[in-house]
Structures are given as structure tokens and as C-alpha cells.
């Protein structure tokens, strides 16, 4: 019996394909990372099937690449070795539990942000999750595993910080749980005490098993919410003011970006240029409160911080949201209602990539200033994204590129990204959702003991190296 | 085909963001193909990327490409949900890809039969051609201001749609006739067999011209789209106004030419938007206006208008992928059942067929013409 038939015996013939079309489509993503065709694609729908797939892989040794929608913007689902089997998990798409009291949900890999939003709005309207500026139909579980940044990250950190626990099929076939659910179902309320083994799966890009369930924190929706838009000039002045606002704790979400992105939302055609005299950055500031008095007070405090900054640069403006809506129309509300709905500005071409890092807040302004010069040198649109995380323990430093995937542009994108990353690494930044090319660069500079440890853990968990081998260049 | 190839024009456009997989902000599934076959290759983006791969020489023609290319109802729901600049051209690109596939690999056997039967019998069912005998049967004139273009499915399968349309037109005293129509070409256009259509279009144009008519009415959404949009693309404008029967009935009622029953029927109806009339041609209102005139209770399903779930029959899929087509229709019937309506109304004989085949007596499935005829 050939390997395809053996996979078919596990999931059924309808859910295995080695067709040329499927192998081609799963061989690349939207980024510049080089493609590689898998051997076949298999689509399980239960934990039992995942387990059998892993057991078969241990016996016959095709590498397995977990996949949900492949939109990680880092080439993370592109096989790194020949003969790989893509394990497309989108059929595992159940929201298994929402616990209103301990405020968490338990979901399967195929559940998307759109579906979580719909489910919560309909059945648990007092609770919310954290939403990215990503297309609405990307995996919530995968984004938590790859440390994504969403609209509650300024307050609560990356999505990995939302994980209460998970269930996974290990590369050797055992099904394990970590977190308080080891005491049984309906008990996914915390990640600790005991060793924090979530770390065996987060940031590993599918190298340590197939995560089959994840419990994620939800948050109460406050009664009142307000938004404002802040327009600022210069990299250092902007990050200085954003830091002050973040540390004040007034704002739940601070979403800062190059003005070009706002212009894209206003339908300025590609390529969007920056003009002298325009503000350099626009920041959407979200804040919530239990009463209108508290909400107004928060805005007053915000205004006060901005007024102080205006003493140095009177061009800075803070615009209350109703005025933004008048200027931008309904699009403005789309952005704040569900950030995913505003991702459309990134869908101009078939190519999209970014250099996204976590950086020490002290280097934020310098990074942004240097990064901007690099991006301008290569002639790309200015699309910086930055967000303070966990109030301000971490700063996000990221430049995004939308581009047509022709050879010349891909080449230019690669060079620009490399230069940007070299610069960020020189400031001690670390790339997240780390593509292989950037993992290689990190390994050249970082403490080798860390990667040695990572290799040891990988070997221990996955002696046959069947789970997404080659990632992080381990 | 248009002169500028849509595949060429939009080569660097689909980012594979997956937005086309679900109704934007509604989050219900939008693509019947992807929903059933699951692999990324069966969503709009998969098809666009297969086109991309072929165009760039990264993908060779191979029989395994047939299913992802042809198992698409061309329903156009993806076009509504996609937010990228190429969104209005997705179905065009899929049809262009099919045209290329037919040239390189050949048409699917089920689709090839359409072509053979159309050639021998002028309709894709291989039924005995008889359009003109209806003229004698209904004592219709040779010359008239209006032509009723019946369409093959109404004429050879869902006859009650044809008969109720004729009845409505006669009740309203409309000066119309029927021509020796050949298949409009829709089944060929949707399945990549484009080259055969010009002859059909030319025949139909000549037949219509001979009657001196200025208006063509059709009770088939597929014909409606083809006679307007596709004939135009092929440079074969009919030089007449093409009207869908729902639009015509609305006019007849508005002008007081068709008198409706006054007594209220204890009937709850819901309406299914046929892709070819609605998304492809933008006609959402006329059928609803007519339903609102009728003495019945009209309730809407959740997925309607631009985001309506397809019945699963179009794009040659009922013939080539009957199981999937049936599943898709079943889903639509479930949507209708949720409204608690007793009757599911459509405005396309092909939708009626597809939905009726999937129906397990949970609903009455009829065409708007039948309902109007019953209530006038
Ligand atoms: C236009 C655009 C904008 C975006 N903006 C944001 C943003 O603002 N913030 C943000 O955080 N993200 C953003 N993203 C990224 C994206 O939303 C996430 O990375 C995504 O949610 C991950 O889901 P996926 O379905 O793409 O996962 P995939 O790409 O399929 O998988 C991601 C990784 O997880 C692994 N994996 C998947 N499932 C499992 C499993 N069950 N077990 C173990 N490993 C697994 C895969 O092997 C891979 O390494 C954006 C993406 C796009 C295209
Ligand atoms: S067709 Fe449109 S919505 Fe679908 S993946 Fe491509 S760009 Fe996204
Ligand atoms: S036309 Fe319909 S079936 Fe075809 S890809 Fe688009 S949504 Fe899917």
C-alpha cells in the first residue's frame, strides 16, 4: 500500500490530495520566501486522526507541516524539505466551550477570528477577544502559537499571553494537555502553577506537535468605549509621545502606523507617497470605561498629554473619533469595530511581507528612523506599524511591504528586508513569526546556548524529526 | 473572450487572503466549492493561483487540475466578498482558465455531451427540438413586438415554467411570439467551450430579427445573462432589449395589465436569488417586488442578495459533480426551512431543478412564474 493510500485510510479519500494544483497552491504563501511543493495534503477532522497521522509519519518518515490558512506572513507553512505532507487543519473548526465565569474559550485549530467574533457577539455579548489587522479568516489558535499582536496587545501582550492551556499530539503520538485542564474538561482557567509547558509549543512554528485545542482568555467588554486619532511628526517625537500615553494606562490599544496606511484606507491609489509637511504617523487610540464620566476623564487626560507634547511641536493633533468619521466616512468605524475588516489596504497585490520585531522601547525611535531611510532607499511605500505591548514592556517595530510578485520586485523586497533586519538586530531586536532567512541571521548573532537548548528540546520531543523540520533553521 | 485577457491583466493580484471564503462580516460560508472540497485549491484564490501558475509557466497542464478548475458553479459569491482590485473579474478569469483547459486537456465528458447534443438537437438535453410547434399550439403570430425566449431547461425539462409564462403573457394580452430558438450557449460558455457559441448566437439573433421584435423576454436567468452579457462580449449584440420575466411581470402588474387575486393565500414564501440574475446581472429587486405584490407572506433567508448561497447547479456542476451539486442545494433548502416558509421560490429553471432534486418534501419548490400564474 502506498503512502497516499495509508493517509486515505486514516481520513478518507476525499481528504487527501496529491494533485498538481493542490501541491502547487500549498507550496508558497504571499511572501517572498522560496516555494517548495509538498508530497501531498491531508485534512484530518479529529484528534484521533491527527494522532494516527503522526504515528504513520513516525513509521514512514514523511515530514508533517501543520497548516490552517497559511497566512502567517513568514513562509512558516512552506515545507523546508522534500516529500513533506501538509496537515491542513481547517476541518477542525469547533468552538468547544466558552466559560463566561472564568472568561476563556476553548477552540480547535480551524476556528478563525471572524468566527470567534460572530460567536461571541451572538452568544456572549459581554465578552470579547483580541483581533489582529489580519484577514478575518485566519486561525486564532495558530496566531496564538506564533505570538501574534492584536488590538488588546497594548494592555495584555501578545496572543501567546492569552493562552490558558492547550492540548497537543506530540511528535511521538501521545496526546498531552498543559495548564489546569490536566484536571479535566471544563477546567481550562489557567496556565500555571506547575512548569509552564505552553512554551513547548508557542513560537515553535509547528515543530513540536499538532496543537488540537487551545484555551484563550476573553475579556469583559466595558460599557463605554472611545477612540481618537493622533497625528504626529518625526520618529523620535512620535515614539516619545506614544510611550507616554502607553505608560499612563489611559489607552487599551495604541495602533500606530505610517500616514501612508491611513491614506490607503482613504483610497489614495498605489503607490502611496509621503509628502513634506504631512504628519508622519497616525495612531488610533482606543480607551474604555465603566461610565461616561470616566470616559470623558480619560480623553481629558489624553488631551493633556498631547497638549504637553504640542509645546515642542504645535503641529501635533488629537482628533476625537466623531470628527475622524466625518473625515473618513464609515471606513473609520470599520477599523475600530473589527480591525480585520480594514486589512483590505494590504490586498493590493499578490505579494505581502514584513520585517516584524520585538524591540527594547529605548531603541524604538532610532529603529523607526533608520528603518524609514532603508525603506525609502529601496523605493517602497512607507508602511511602518508599531504597537507598545504590555503597557510598554515591549515595543513592536515593523515595516510592511505590499508588492507584485515579479522577479525584480521580489529581489528588491528581499534585499530591503535583509537590510532592515540587520539594522533591527544591531539594536537587539528579535523577529517574530520568524522566517528561516531571518532565523539564520539571528543565530549568527545570538547566544548559541539558546539554540543548542532549542535543538535538544526538539530532539527530545521529536526523535525522528518529523514535525515541520528545518524551521528556525534548527 | 475579451481582447485583453483577464488572467493576464490580473496576474499579480490575488494575495490569498481568503476573504472570499466567507460572507464579509456575515461569516457564513460563501464558496460552495471550497466548502465541500475543502482544499485551498477549491476556493476562488486556488483557481486564480492555478491560472497564475499556468500563465507563468510554474504549473503544467495535468488531468489532476480538472477538478479544481471545473468544480466551480461560477456563482460569483467570491467576487462580492473579495476586497482586492481584481474582484469583479474572478469569474471571468475562472472561465478563461476553463477555456484554456478545454483546449489543452479537453472538455469534461459530461460537458462534452452538452456540445454534442446542442449540435445535433440544439439543446443540451438532446431532447427533440420543437420550439416552433408551440407557435401553432398557442396560436402565436409570426411577427410580434415581443419574443419569449424560453430557454432549454424550461422548454425541455421544467415545462411548467414555460407554460405558466405563456399563460401570464396571454392573460395580460401581450403581443408576443416564440422563435425557432437554439440553446443560448450558456452551458458551453460556463464550461470553457466558448468557440461553439458564436454560431448559436448568430442563429438566435437572426430568428429574433425576423419577428421584428424590439423586446426579448426570458424566464431563464442563465439565458438572461448570456443574451445580454456574453453576446455583448462576443460582439453579437442582439439589438433588442432583453428583459427578465420578473421585471416584465412587475411592469404588467404596475400597469394594471395583470390582475392579481385579492384573497390572501395562507402561504409563506421565501426567495432564492439565482446567481445569474442576481450577482451576475444585479437584479435583486424585481422578483422581490413581484412577491410583495402577491397575496402571500414573504420572508427572507439569512444569506440573500449579493451574499446568497448558490443552488449548486450552475457552471456545468450539476452534470459533472452531481453529488456536490446536490449537497449545495440541500444547504440552500436548509436555509429556506429555517425561515419556516412552506414554499421556496426562484426565478431560474436551473435553480428549480437543482433545488427540487435535493428536496425531501420539506418544501414546495416553484418558479416565480408558476406562483404568479396561480395567483392571477
Ligand atoms: C494582510 C495580513 C495582515 C495581518 N495582520 C496581522 C496582525 O495585525 N497581527 C497578527 O498577529 N497577525 C497578523 N497577520 C498574520 C495572521 O493573521 C496570523 O499569523 C494567522 O492568524 C495565523 O493563522 P494562519 O491560519 O495563517 O496559520 P498558518 O499560517 O496556517 O500557521 C502558522 C504557523 O503555525 C503552525 N501551526 C498551525 N496550526 C498548528 C497547530 N494546530 N499545531 C501546531 N502548529 C500549528 C504552522 O505550521 C505555522 O508554522 C496578518 C496576515 C495578513 C495576511
Ligand atoms: S480572490 Fe480576493 S478575497 Fe480571495 S484570496 Fe484572492 S484577494 Fe483574497
Ligand atoms: S464562483 Fe462560486 S464556486 Fe466558484 S470560486 Fe467563486 S464562490 Fe466558489
Amino acid at each position: 500500500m502506498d503512502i497516499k493510500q495509508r493517509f486515505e485510510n486514516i481520513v478518507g479519500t476525499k481528504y487527501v490530495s496529491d494533485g498538481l494544483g493542490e501541491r502547487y497552491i500549498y507550496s508558497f504563501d504571499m511572501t517572498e520566501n522560496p516555494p517548495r511543493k509538498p508530497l501531498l495534503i491531508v485534512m484530518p477532522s479529529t484528534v484521533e486522526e491527527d494522532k494516527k497521522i503522526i504515528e504513520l509519519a513516525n513509521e514512514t518518515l514523511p515530514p508533517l507541516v501543520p497548516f490552517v490558512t497559511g497566512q502567517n506572513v513568514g513562509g512558516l507553512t512552506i515545507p523546508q524539505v522534500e516529500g513533506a505532507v501538509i496537515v491542513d487543519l481547517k476541518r477542525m473548526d469547533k468552538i468547544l466551550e466558552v466559560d463566561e465565569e472564568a472568561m476563556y474559550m476553548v477552540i480547535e485549530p480551524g476556528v478563525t477570528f471572524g468566527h470567534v467574533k460572530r460567536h461571541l457577539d451572538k452568544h456572549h455579548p459581554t465578552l470579547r477577544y483580541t483581533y489582529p489587522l489580519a484577514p478575518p479568516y485566519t486561525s486564532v489558535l495558530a496566531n496564538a502559537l506564533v505570538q501574534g499582536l492584536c488590538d488588546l496587545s497594548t494592555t495584555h501582550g501578545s496572543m501567546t499571553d492569552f493562552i490558558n492551556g492547550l492540548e497537543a499530539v506530540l511528535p511521538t503520538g501521545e496526546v498531552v494537555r498543559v495548564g489546569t485542564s490536566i484536571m479535566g474538561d471544563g477546567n481550562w482557567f489557567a496556565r500555571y502553577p506547575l512548569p509552564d509547558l505552553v512554551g513547548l509549543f508557542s513560537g515553535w512554528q509547528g515543530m513540536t506537535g499538532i496543537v488540537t485545542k487551545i484555551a484563550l482568555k476573553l475579556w469583559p467588554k466595558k460599557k463605554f468605549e472611545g477612540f481618537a486619532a493622533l497625528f504626529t511628526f518625526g520618529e523620535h517625537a512620535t515614539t516619545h509621545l506614544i510611550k507616554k500615553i502607553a505608560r499612563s494606562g489611559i489607552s487599551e490599544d495604541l495602533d500606530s502606523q505610517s500616514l501612508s496606511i491611513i491614506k490607503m484606507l482613504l483610497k489614495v491609489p498605489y503607490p502611496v507617497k509621503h509628502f513634506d509637511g504631512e504628519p508622519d504617523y497616525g495612531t488610533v487610540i482606543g480607551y474604555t470605561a465603566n461610565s461616561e464620566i470616566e470616559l470623558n476623564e480619560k480623553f481629558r487626560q489624553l488631551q493633556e498629554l498631547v497638549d504637553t507634547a504640542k509645546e515642542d511641536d504645535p503641529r501635533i493633533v488629537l482628533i476625537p473619533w466623531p470628527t475622524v468619521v466625518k473625515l473618513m466616512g464609515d471606513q473609520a468605524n470599520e477599523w475600530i469595530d473589527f480591525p480585520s475588516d480594514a486589512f483590505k489596504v494590504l490586498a493590493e497585490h499578490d505579494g505581502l511581507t514584513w520585517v516584524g520585531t520585538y524591540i527594547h522601547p529605548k531603541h524604538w525611535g532610532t529603529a523607526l528612523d533608520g528603518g524609514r531611510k532603508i525603506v525609502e532607499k529601496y523605493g517602497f511605500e512607507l508602511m511602518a506599524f508599531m504597537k507598545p505591548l504590555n503597557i510598554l514592556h515591549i515595543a513592536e517595530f515593523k515595516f510592511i511591504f505590499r508588492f507584485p510578485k515579479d522577479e525584480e520586485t521580489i529581489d528588491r523586497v528581499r534585499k530591503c528586508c535583509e537590510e532592515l533586519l540587520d539594522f533591527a538586530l544591531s539594536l537587539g531586536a528579535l523577529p517574530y513569526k520568524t522566517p528561516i532567512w531571518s532565523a539564520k541571521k539571528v543565530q549568527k548573532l545570538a547566544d548559541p546556548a539558546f539554540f543548542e537548548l532549542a535543538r535538544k528540546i526538539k530532539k527530545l520531543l521529536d526523535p525522528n524529526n518529523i514535525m515541520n523540520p528545518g524551521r528556525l533553521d534548527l | 473572450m475579451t481582447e485583453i485577457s483577464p488572467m493576464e491583466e490580473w496576474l499579480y493580484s490575488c494575495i490569498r487572503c481568503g476573504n472570499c471564503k466567507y460572507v464579509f462580516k456575515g461569516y457564513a460560508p460563501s464558496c460552495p466549492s471550497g466548502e465541500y472540497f475543502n482544499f485551498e485549491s477549491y476556493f476562488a484564490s486556488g483557481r486564480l493561483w492555478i491560472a497564475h501558475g499556468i500563465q507563468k509557466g510554474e504549473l503544467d497542464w495535468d488531468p489532476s487540475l480538472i477538478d479544481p478548475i471545473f468544480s466551480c458553479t461560477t456563482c460569483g459569491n467570491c467576487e462580492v466578498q473579495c476586497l482586492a482590485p481584481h474582484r469583479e473579474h474572478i469569474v471571468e478569469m475562472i472561465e478563461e482558465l476553463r477555456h484554456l483547459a478545454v483546449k489543452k486537456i479537453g472538455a469534461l465528458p459530461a460537458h462534452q455531451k452538452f456540445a454534442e447534443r446542442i449540435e445535433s438537437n440544439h439543446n443540451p438535453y438532446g431532447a427533440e427540438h420543437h420550439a416552433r410547434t408551440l407557435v401553432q399550439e398557442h396560436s402565436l403570430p409570426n411577427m410580434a413586438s415581443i419574443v419569449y425566449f424560453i430557454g432549454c431547461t424550461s422548454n425541455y425539462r421544467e415545462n411548467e415554467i414555460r407554460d405558466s409564462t405563456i399563460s401570464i403573457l396571454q392573460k395580460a394580452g401581450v403581443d408576443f411570439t416564440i422563435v425557432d430558438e437554439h440553446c443560448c450557449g450558456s452551458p458551453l460558455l460556463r464550461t470553457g467551450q466558448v468557440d461553439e457559441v458564436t454560431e448559436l448566437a448568430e442563429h438566435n439573433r437572426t430568428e429574433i430579427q425576423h419577428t421584428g421584435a424590439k423586446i426579448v423576454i426570458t424566464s431563464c436567468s442563465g439565458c438572461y445573462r448570456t443574451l445580454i452579457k456574453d453576446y455583448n462580449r462576443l460582439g453579437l449584440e442582439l439589438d433588442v432589449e432583453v428583459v427578465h420575466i420578473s421585471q416584465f411581470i412587475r411592469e404588467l402588474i404596475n400597469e394594471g395589465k395583470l390582475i392579481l387575486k385579492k384573497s390572501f393565500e395562507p402561504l409563506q414564501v421565501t426567495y432564492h436569488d439565482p446567481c445569474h440574475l442576481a450577482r451576475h446581472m444585479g437584479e435583486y429587486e424585481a422578483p422581490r417586488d413581484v412577491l410583495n405584490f402577491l397575496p402571500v407572506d414573504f420572508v427572507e433567508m439569512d444569506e440573500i442578495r449579493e451574499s446568497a448561497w448558490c443552488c449548486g447547479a450552475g457552471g456545468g456542476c450539476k452534470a459533472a459533480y452531481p453529488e456536490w451539486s446536490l449537497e449545495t442545494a440541500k444547504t440552500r433548502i436548509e436555509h429556506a426551512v429555517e425561515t419556516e416558509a412552506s414554499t421556496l421560490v426562484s426565478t431560474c429553471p436551473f435553480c428549480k431543478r437543482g433545488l427540487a432534486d435535493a428536496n425531501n418534501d420539506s418544501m414546495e419548490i416553484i418558479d416565480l412564474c408558476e406562483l404568479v400564474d396561480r395567483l392571477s
Side-chain angles (χ1 to χ4, degrees), chain A residues 30 65-73 76-77 89 109 113 132-135 138-143 145-146 148-150 205-206 209-212 343 346 352 354 398 433 468 471, chain B residues 15:
Chain A
M30 58 190 64
V65 180
F67 177 104
V68 185
T69 71
Q71 294 193 62
N72 51 75
V73 202
L76 307 186
T77 55
L89 296 157
F113 287 98
L133 192 86
T138 57
S139 168
V140 177
L141 177 148
N143 207 28
L145 291 180
V146 293
L149 306 180
C150 309
Q205 306 180 357
I210 297 180
V211 177
T212 47
F343 85 94
L346 304 178
L352 184 85
W354 62 43
K398 175 161 83 179
K433 302 188 180 175
N468 213 354
R471 299 240 68 87
Chain B
I15 193 177

Side-chain angles (χ1 to χ4, degrees), chain B residues 197-315:
Chain B
V197 177
T198 309
E199 207 182 305
L200 299 172
E202 275 167 354
H203 168 87
N204 288 331
R205 179 166 63 179
T206 311
E207 287 298 313
I208 291 165
Q209 272 169 358
H210 284 161
T211 64
K214 288 280 164 274
I215 295 175
V216 169
I217 298 170
T218 173
S219 51
C220 174
S221 294
C223 295
Y224 179 66
R225 182 214 137 109
T226 305
L227 297 183
I228 298 178
K229 221 177 188 170
D230 294 303
Y231 282 16
N232 238 0
R233 273 203 305 177
L234 294 166
L236 288 155
E237 292 86 350
L238 288 180
D239 209 17
V240 291
E241 188 189 353
V242 180
V243 178
H244 187 262
I245 188 70
S246 59
Q247 299 163 332
F248 197 71
I249 293 174
R250 177 173 63 183
E251 210 176 299
L252 291 177
I253 297 172
N254 270 331
E255 289 170 358
K257 290 182 182 158
L258 188 68
I259 311 297
L260 299 174
K261 282 185 187 162
K262 292 255 178 325
S263 61
F264 187 80
E265 290 269 321
L267 196 66
Q268 261 218 331
V269 303
T270 190
Y271 174 66
H272 166 73
D273 290 277
C275 303
H276 286 126
L277 180 66
R279 272 189 291 264
H280 289 216
M281 299 301 291
E283 184 53 271
Y284 302 99
E285 299 308 331
R288 287 182 169 80
D289 288 346
V290 172
L291 284 171
N292 282 321
F293 279 133
L294 298 179
V296 294
D297 242 359
F298 170 39
V299 280
E300 292 274 22
M301 293 183 262
D302 280 344
E303 280 82 39
I304 53 166
R305 295 177 182 264
E306 288 87 350
S307 300
W309 179 254
C310 166
C311 77

Side-chain angles (χ1 to χ4, degrees), chain B residues 30-33 42-44 47 72-78 91 94 324:
Chain B
S30 54
C31 174
S33 172
Y42 287 80
F43 291 97
R47 302 193 164 92
C72 159
T73 60
T74 63
C75 70
N77 208 344
C78 46
V91 172
I94 293 172
W324 159 50

Side-chain angles (χ1 to χ4, degrees), chain A residues 88-380:
Chain A
D88 184 336
L89 296 157
K90 61 167 78 61
R91 290 176 66 220
M92 297 183 73
D93 60 356
K94 286 189 273 307
I95 297 176
L96 299 165
E97 187 188 337
V98 174
D99 186 315
E100 292 219 358
E101 186 152 12
M103 293 181 294
Y104 66 78
M105 61 179 174
V106 183
I107 57 168
E108 292 188 325
V111 173
T112 71
F113 287 98
H115 294 103
V116 163
K117 165 111 167 81
R118 180 179 64 173
H119 186 84
L120 293 180
D121 285 353
K122 197 166 168 189
H123 303 291
H124 309 278
T126 59
L127 294 173
R128 63 159 300 184
Y129 189 57
T130 179
Y131 300 106
L133 192 86
Y137 310 116
T138 57
S139 168
V140 177
L141 177 148
N143 207 28
L145 291 180
V146 293
Q147 301 151 344
L149 306 180
C150 309
D151 69 349
L152 286 179
S153 294
T154 298
T155 328
H156 302 294
S158 97
M159 258 183 79
T160 294
D161 297 329
F162 287 57
I163 303 177
N164 274 356
L166 51 81
E167 177 191 89
V169 185
L170 295 179
T172 38
E174 301 92 329
V175 179
V176 296
R177 282 190 185 183
V178 301
T180 51
S181 76
I182 59 173
M183 300 305 287
D185 283 338
N187 202 54
W188 295 82
F189 64 93
R191 183 157 156 179
Y192 328 112
L194 300 183
D196 180 12
L197 298 186
V198 166
L200 290 178
F201 305 93
S202 81
W204 281 91
Q205 306 180 357
M207 276 189 286
T208 51
I210 297 180
V211 177
T212 47
K213 293 182 183 71
I214 199 161
L216 295 162
K217 288 190 182 84
L218 302 171
W219 300 91
K221 272 191 202 161
K222 289 209 180 160
K223 260 192 178 161
F224 295 86
E225 57 176 12
F227 294 89
L230 174 70
F231 292 95
T232 49
F233 298 80
E235 285 64 34
H236 289 282
T238 297
T239 48
H240 184 65
L241 179 53
I242 300 291
K243 283 185 204 177
K244 275 176 103 177
I245 297 172
R247 287 181 80 113
S248 75
I250 298 169
S251 167
E252 211 153 60
D253 184 38
L254 279 164
D255 219 0
S256 255
Q257 55 249 299
S258 304
L259 189 79
S260 328
I261 294 165
I262 311 232
K263 285 160 71 177
M264 288 167 197
L265 272 172
L266 290 169
K267 298 201 169 74
V268 173
Y270 174 86
V272 175
K273 297 207 164 60
H274 184 265
F275 295 104
D276 285 347
E278 280 179 348
D280 294 303
Y281 298 95
T283 302
V284 180
I285 304 172
Y287 51 102
T288 59
N290 291 316
S291 68
E292 214 163 338
I293 298 173
E294 189 189 349
L295 197 75
N296 291 339
E297 173 56 18
K298 282 195 168 176
F299 185 76
R300 194 197 61 73
Q301 289 180 20
L302 189 61
Q303 185 74 62
E304 209 170 79
L305 288 172
V306 173
D307 286 346
T308 313
K310 279 175 98 144
E311 287 168 14
D312 292 330
D313 186 348
R315 296 171 302 168
I316 297 174
V317 268
L318 179 70
I319 308 180
W321 206 254
T323 315
V324 176
V325 175
K326 269 192 203 142
L327 295 171
M328 283 182 71
D330 273 351
Q331 305 208 39
N333 282 334
E334 275 172 19
W335 186 306
I336 56 166
D337 175 41
F338 184 36
S340 290
D341 287 352
F343 85 94
K344 59 176 174 275
V345 296
L346 304 178
E348 179 74 19
H349 298 294
D350 55 346
L352 184 85
T353 196
W354 62 43
V355 172
T357 65
Y358 291 13
I359 197 165
H360 191 299
K362 72 181 173 196
H363 293 309
W364 214 6
T366 310
L368 210 53
D369 189 31
R372 176 180 181 158
K373 289 187 181 108
I374 294 170
V375 174
E376 281 173 341
K377 185 175 88 183
Y378 283 93
F380 288 110

